[in-house]
Amino acid sequence: GPTAGSPSRLRLGAFQLAARLEPEPSIVPVAVANFDQRLSRAVLGAVVAEPFRLSDVVGDPADRDRLARFVNDDLTPRYRAWVREAAALR
């Protein structure tokens, strides 16, 4: 989708996988902007946010409802802010 609406919806699968792995991996959010434009005219921007482990932000990462609340209510709005920050880079 377009940068303005990114991310539209984060899916839980990768987060569920990360919650099951030992040792628990760090998740590194990367937001890219202007990827929807022609590369010959676009100025791409990227923001690499602070890595985190699910166990540091979700009480029980194996609990699908808690994980979904974190992804939908906390991570998605922050991710949108990172995309806006990436779009502002010139």
Side-chain angles (χ1 to χ4, degrees):
T3 294
S6 182
S8 57
R9 185 174 140 242
L10 297 176
R11 310 240 179 201
L12 295 181
F15 299 101
Q16 290 173 316
L17 176 62
R20 292 186 187 121
L21 294 176
E22 287 293 331
E24 183 181 3
S26 292
I27 296 174
V28 182
V30 177
V32 180
N34 303 325
F35 54 86
D36 53 330
Q37 299 173 11
R38 294 185 68 108
L39 290 178
S40 61
R41 290 185 244 166
V43 176
L44 300 178
V47 170
V48 179
E50 190 73 29
F52 65 90
R53 285 187 165 73
L54 286 174
S55 62
D56 293 337
V57 294
V58 179
D60 179 10
D63 182 334
R64 190 178 196 289
D65 291 334
R66 283 185 180 185
L67 184 61
R69 277 195 303 275
F70 164 72
V71 169
N72 294 328
D73 300 341
D74 185 32
L75 187 59
T76 298
R78 287 192 293 153
Y79 207 104
R80 284 195 180 112
W82 294 324
V83 170
R84 285 192 303 272
E85 184 181 338
L89 298 173
R90 297 271 174 195

